[in-house]
Amino acid sequence: MKKHFLLGMFLGFCLAVIMPDPLLSVNSYNNTNVLKHIYVTQLVAPLPQSTKVKETPIMERGQLQYSVYLEDPTVLIRGYIQIWDLADLENYLVNSKRISTFDFHSYSLKPIKVANDNGYLTEWTASFGESYRISGVEYWLRKPATTEVLRISFLTDITPFSKEQIDYIDKVINSII
């Protein structure tokens, strides 16, 4: 019996060592989706039950390290919570806009601070093709003293964002510890 216990402990330890530890994990707590992320301390994003969360595996990591897709059909909002490796965040954002296939009707890039993290907020409205219009709000927050960047983006086909969507966004962003 003692041998089996020790073997189980050893196998559990081996699995813990070789299994990749995700930066983001999705858990359920009291019928509410909760997204947790080890980012400086922890990001806890309480999400309504109607929010669908899908982790997207990144096979070949380049600048994008990790990605989770969010979609809430009740408030007509979708988005991403991602980890990026970006040495020059501002330059990356300026170049991304420049090479984008979107036809921007409005675009702003401004410095922000959320919790203890500095970064940028991009807010934009754009067309993609003749009949498709989209609005976006993206928070890009740099982990201090690293090249690691947390991106929290929200997208909608409703322009501008509705009051309900803004409340949803504020709830997620204000949950950052």
Side-chain angles (χ1 to χ4, degrees):
M1 181 75 164
K2 195 174 191 180
K3 236 195 269 187
H4 291 263
F5 176 75
L6 290 174
L7 179 62
M9 291 290 291
F10 176 73
L11 289 174
F13 175 76
C14 290
L15 284 174
V17 169
I18 64 171
M19 294 297 290
D21 184 26
L23 296 170
L24 299 173
S25 62
V26 180
N27 299 310
S28 180
Y29 179 72
N30 291 339
N31 296 327
T32 302
N33 288 328
V34 177
L35 184 69
K36 292 185 177 182
H37 162 67
I38 309 299
Y39 181 80
V40 182
T41 52
Q42 188 177 57
L43 168 69
V44 177
L47 303 171
Q49 185 67 28
S50 56
T51 300
K52 297 173 186 155
V53 179
K54 183 176 188 228
E55 294 184 39
T56 307
I58 307 296
M59 298 308 198
E60 293 186 30
R61 293 184 180 179
Q63 290 176 311
L64 180 60
Q65 299 291 304
Y66 198 83
S67 183
V68 172
Y69 178 73
L70 309 172
E71 182 177 22
D72 195 316
T74 60
V75 291
L76 302 174
I77 201 166
R78 61 192 180 281
Y80 295 92
I81 297 179
Q82 300 174 324
I83 303 297
W84 287 75
D85 182 17
L86 300 170
D88 186 350
L89 177 57
E90 183 177 17
N91 189 46
Y92 175 82
L93 295 173
V94 169
N95 285 332
S96 293
K97 178 187 182 269
R98 186 177 51 78
I99 65 172
S100 175
T101 57
F102 283 176
D103 179 18
F104 289 100
H105 300 279
S106 67
Y107 185 93
S108 69
L109 172 66
K110 57 186 170 188
I112 59 168
K113 184 169 188 165
V114 175
N116 291 321
D117 300 327
N118 292 314
Y120 292 93
L121 173 66
T122 58
E123 296 178 282
W124 50 269
T125 301
S127 294
F128 188 71
E130 302 238 348
S131 60
Y132 183 60
R133 197 161 191 172
I134 185 172
S135 290
V137 173
E138 299 176 294
Y139 295 80
W140 297 83
L141 304 171
R142 179 171 303 286
K143 184 175 180 178
T146 71
T147 59
E148 190 172 274
V149 174
L150 173 65
R151 174 190 181 217
I152 306 173
S153 69
F154 302 96
L155 309 166
T156 185
D157 298 333
I158 299 171
T159 56
F161 282 91
S162 70
K163 166 100 172 81
E164 188 176 17
Q165 290 170 328
I166 292 169
D167 291 344
Y168 180 99
I169 293 167
D170 289 344
K171 183 177 181 180
V172 172
I173 296 303
N174 290 331
S175 71
I176 297 175
I177 300 170

